[in-house]
């Protein structure tokens, strides 16, 4: 918690309007019905910091009987710890009274008559009245929103510890299961018949796919949580970095990988970009009809302030009704036996690209390949 | 007196890991059994020759110690710190073999003078490879220090 109702700024005084309570004021431009019906608390505060006007919602929010708020110092409506600072800001506001949110990025706190505190959002503007200029504060009680935010934060912490549990505690027994099934295969194959060996291999394979699933899940959750700071990344270098570790897979599948130059630069986080591109490319290498050598084409183009990176393949293709679903975790379009995978790959791409402020998409038709694309900001777009 | 048949002491509390690690070393046919204790306290008793490890014929001082980090009672870091403070034992190479990749665990181990830090491989082949490499490097290739025996 930190600040409260406080216009900000230096220390010059505004003209103090004369007079007692705000009631009876010739309300000038403000329609009093509108004021009373407003769902936000509205306060009019003079240059001395006294409340000249408080609508019904303000009295309700701060717990004052009708008429009692007027004439009070506005600093009475905030915890003592903010008082001095607020007086300074208030004077500053009268010096240059532009409409603005109060204490942007800070947590503002209001205090009721009974001393209890509650979180608020405040917007400020100023109004010229018959008796001088008033600072108008529009105050919203955000207790409910804060509570929801706290719950969300708690849920996120839970998720984080959950993914740590996955990474560590699930891996340990899995390592044992895989280790012993492999030990059985290696040490006892001669004492088992073909069916027995087949069963063991199935256990081993299942363990391996669970391991990949755990890795992918961890990666997916890590991308959601990590700090992302984008910078100018030349695609030439990024794509070279992605293709290097894939060289073996490319050779194994007898794939042709074509890179169309020139390549552009993008605003990206190199690791996330690399991961996204690698997932696209491994998909392009994987989803081809049996026995067909994959053809992958990488290119980039400028589209206004965006740069689109396209990974095109001549593989199986996807029908339009599946376009939305393929980006969701665990969604798979093919039976595992034919095309093994966890179904998290494209979800990772989408999350990574969104974290970099970009977007993803696909154009495809069954039988004629797919064009998966990523759009990221062009570094030139943000340049002064 | 120095040990003629160099042995390895494995300090680990996970029974499955012990069996798999033992198997990996046995397949190397080194002719000397892997000694195993299950927690940090037992490791310290073993290394200081206290009961039930008083018999140095049966429980020889190892040429290499493989140390898990997270163990009940005394963890790997505590054992490491103790070892490096023992004038008679501090030269024995210690390799952390653990599932913790946590940078704070890694750095602390190096601060305490560990000779190497290995993360337990997920795969079975990885474990066999680590056993082979450890033996090749620390037992066969590495020039071993004199270790004073009481």
């Amino acid at each position: 918690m930190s600040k409260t109702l406080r216009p900000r700024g230096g220390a010059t005084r505004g003209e103090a309007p004369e007079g007692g309570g705000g009631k009876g004021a010739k309300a000038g431009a403000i329609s009093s019905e509108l004021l009373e019906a407003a769902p936000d608390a509205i306060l009019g505060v003079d240059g001395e910091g006294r409340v000249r006007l408080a609508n019904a919602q303000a009295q309700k929010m701060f717990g004052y009987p009708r008429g009692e708020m007027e004439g009070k110092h506005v600093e009475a409506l905030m915890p003592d710890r903010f008082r001095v600072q607020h007086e300074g800001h208030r004077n500053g506001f009268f010096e240059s009274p532009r409409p603005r949110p109060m204490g942007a990025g800070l947590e503002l706190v209001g205090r009721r008559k009974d001393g209890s505190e509650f979180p608020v959002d405040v917007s400020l503007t100023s109004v010229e009245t018959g008796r001088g200029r008033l600072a108008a504060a529009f105050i919203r009680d955000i207790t409910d929103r804060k509570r929801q935010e706290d719950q969300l934060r708690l849920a996120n912490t839970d998720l984080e510890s959950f993914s740590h549990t996955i990474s560590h505690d699930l891996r340990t027994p899995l390592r044992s299961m895989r280790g012993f099934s492999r030990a059985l295969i290696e040490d006892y194959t001669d004492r088992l018949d073909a069916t027995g060996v087949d069963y063991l291999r199935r256990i081993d394979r299942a363990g391996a796919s669970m391991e990949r699933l755990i890795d992918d899940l961890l990666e997916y959750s890590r991308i959601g949580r990590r700090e992302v700071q984008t910078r100018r990344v030349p695609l030439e270098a990024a794509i070279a970095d992605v293709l290097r570790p894939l060289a073996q897979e490319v050779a194994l599948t007898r794939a042709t990988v074509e890179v169309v130059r020139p390549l552009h630069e993008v605003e990206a986080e190199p690791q996330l970009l690399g991961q996204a591109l690698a997932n696209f490319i491994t998909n392009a290498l994987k989803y081809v009809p049996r026995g067909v050598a994959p053809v992958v084409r990488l290119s980039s183009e400028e589209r206004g302030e965006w740069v689109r990176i396209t990974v095109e393949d001549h593989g199986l293709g996807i029908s339009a009704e599946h376009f939305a679903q393929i980006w969701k975790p665990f969604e798979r379009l093919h039976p595992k036996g034919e095309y093994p995978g966890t179904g998290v790959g494209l979800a990772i791409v989408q999350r990574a690209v969104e974290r970099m402020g970009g977007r993803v998409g696909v154009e495809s038709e069954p039988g004629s390949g797919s064009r998966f694309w990523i759009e990221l900001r062009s570094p030139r777009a943000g340049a002064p | 007196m120095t040990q003629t048949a160099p042995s390895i002491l494995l300090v680990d509390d996970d029974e499955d890991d012990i069996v798999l690690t033992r198997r990996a070393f046995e397949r190397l046919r080194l002719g000397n059994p892997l000694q195993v204790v299950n927690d940090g306290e037992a490791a310290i008793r073993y290394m200081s020759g206290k009961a039930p490890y008083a018999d140095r014929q049966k429980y020889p001082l190892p040429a290499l110690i493989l140390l898990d980090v997270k163990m009940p009672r005394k963890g790997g870091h505590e054992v490491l710190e103790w070892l490096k403070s023992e004038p008679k034992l501090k030269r024995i190479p210690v390799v952390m073999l653990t599932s913790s990749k946590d940078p704070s665990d890694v750095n602390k181990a190096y601060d305490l003078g560990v000779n190497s830090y290995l993360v337990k491989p997920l795969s079975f082949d990885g474990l066999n490879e680590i056993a082979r490499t450890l033996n090749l490097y620390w037992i066969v290739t590495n020039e071993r220090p004199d270790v004073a025996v009481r």
Side-chain angles (χ1 to χ4, degrees), chain A residues 168 171-180 182-184 186-187 211 215, chain B residues 14-17 19-20 23 27 70 99-100 120-125 128:
Chain A
H168 193 262
R171 268 169 203 269
T172 306
L174 185 60
R175 191 172 61 221
S176 293
M177 285 159 61
R178 290 205 68 199
F180 285 108
R182 288 293 302 275
L184 268 174
E186 285 193 8
D187 300 353
E211 216 169 274
D215 285 346
Chain B
D14 187 309
E15 279 300 330
D16 287 347
D17 282 352
V19 173
L20 289 171
R23 174 184 177 279
R27 285 157 58 91
K70 292 187 171 63
S99 52
S100 170
K120 283 179 184 173
L122 269 177
S123 80
F124 179 75
D125 295 333
N128 288 340

Side-chain angles (χ1 to χ4, degrees), chain B residues 119-135:
Chain B
V119 176
K120 283 179 184 173
L122 269 177
S123 80
F124 179 75
D125 295 333
L127 186 63
N128 288 340
E129 186 56 27
I130 276 198
R132 202 185 62 78
T133 311
L134 277 174
N135 180 62

Side-chain angles (χ1 to χ4, degrees), chain A residues 50-320:
Chain A
R50 289 189 189 280
V51 175
R52 291 295 172 214
L53 179 152
N55 72 347
Q57 181 61 22
Q59 291 154 12
K60 194 173 153 212
M61 189 180 289
F62 288 89
Y64 285 88
R66 176 164 284 277
E68 208 176 285
M69 286 177 96
E70 287 81 355
K72 280 199 179 308
H73 262 288
V74 69
E75 278 82 19
L77 303 178
M78 66 192 68
D80 292 345
R81 58 187 183 280
F82 302 130
R83 207 164 270 195
V84 174
Q85 204 178 0
H86 185 264
E87 283 170 11
H89 287 303
R90 174 160 54 73
N91 290 330
F93 180 77
F94 278 95
E95 217 179 18
S96 66
R98 291 171 286 106
R100 63 182 89 168
M102 184 189 283
L106 297 171
E107 309 235 311
L108 305 176
V109 184
R111 186 174 71 172
R112 297 187 191 90
K113 191 184 181 194
D114 64 9
S116 59
E117 298 181 4
F118 59 102
V120 292
D121 262 357
V122 185
S123 299
L124 297 174
T125 187
S126 71
V127 281
E128 202 64 59
T129 72
R131 293 169 308 128
R133 183 174 288 278
L134 292 184
F138 297 77
I139 306 160
R140 184 167 293 179
D141 182 340
I142 56 167
T143 304
D144 285 346
R145 199 183 79 199
K146 282 279 168 205
R147 191 180 300 129
Q148 282 161 5
E149 282 172 5
D150 286 347
Q151 282 169 353
L152 198 63
R153 206 168 298 127
L154 199 67
N156 274 332
T157 314
D158 280 356
L159 261 180
E160 207 162 312
S161 72
F162 178 69
S163 65
H164 182 260
T165 303
I166 288 178
S167 79
H168 193 262
D169 298 2
L170 288 188
R171 268 169 203 269
T172 306
L174 185 60
R175 191 172 61 221
S176 293
M177 285 159 61
R178 290 205 68 199
F180 285 108
S181 66
R182 288 293 302 275
L184 268 174
I185 292 170
E186 285 193 8
D187 300 353
Y188 292 86
T189 299
D190 53 343
R191 271 162 278 180
L192 284 170
D193 61 14
T195 312
V197 173
D198 176 55
Y199 289 173
L200 279 176
R201 291 197 193 286
R202 285 174 190 278
I203 293 173
D204 188 47
R205 276 203 297 272
S209 80
M210 180 161 171
E211 216 169 274
R212 277 194 300 274
L213 194 58
I214 290 173
D215 285 346
D216 282 357
L217 271 176
L218 263 179
E219 198 47 49
Y220 185 70
S221 87
R222 205 177 291 138
I223 290 172
R225 294 195 322 264
R226 62 181 281 196
E227 293 261 315
V228 175
Q229 196 114 49
T230 62
R231 58 179 170 85
R232 174 191 290 257
V233 178
L235 284 172
E236 188 68 49
I239 286 175
D241 285 347
V242 169
L243 289 177
R244 208 169 298 120
L246 290 174
Q248 203 185 353
E249 208 175 326
V250 169
L252 217 62
T253 52
R254 292 175 292 112
T256 310
V257 179
E258 185 196 350
V259 180
V260 183
R261 293 185 170 85
L263 291 163
H264 296 80
E265 293 190 330
V266 292
E267 267 305 312
E269 208 267 277
Q271 223 187 327
L272 288 181
L273 175 62
Q275 200 159 21
L277 289 174
N279 285 9
F280 272 174
I281 297 168
T282 43
N283 276 356
L285 296 176
K286 182 161 74 173
Y287 293 106
V288 288
R290 205 173 284 265
V292 171
V295 178
V296 188
R297 193 163 173 273
L298 302 167
S299 60
S300 71
E301 63 179 306
E302 277 203 313
R303 298 167 76 100
E305 55 193 19
W306 299 90
V307 171
R308 178 180 283 205
I309 311 157
T310 305
V311 178
E312 188 176 354
D313 65 56
H314 295 168
L316 297 171
I318 301 157
S319 59

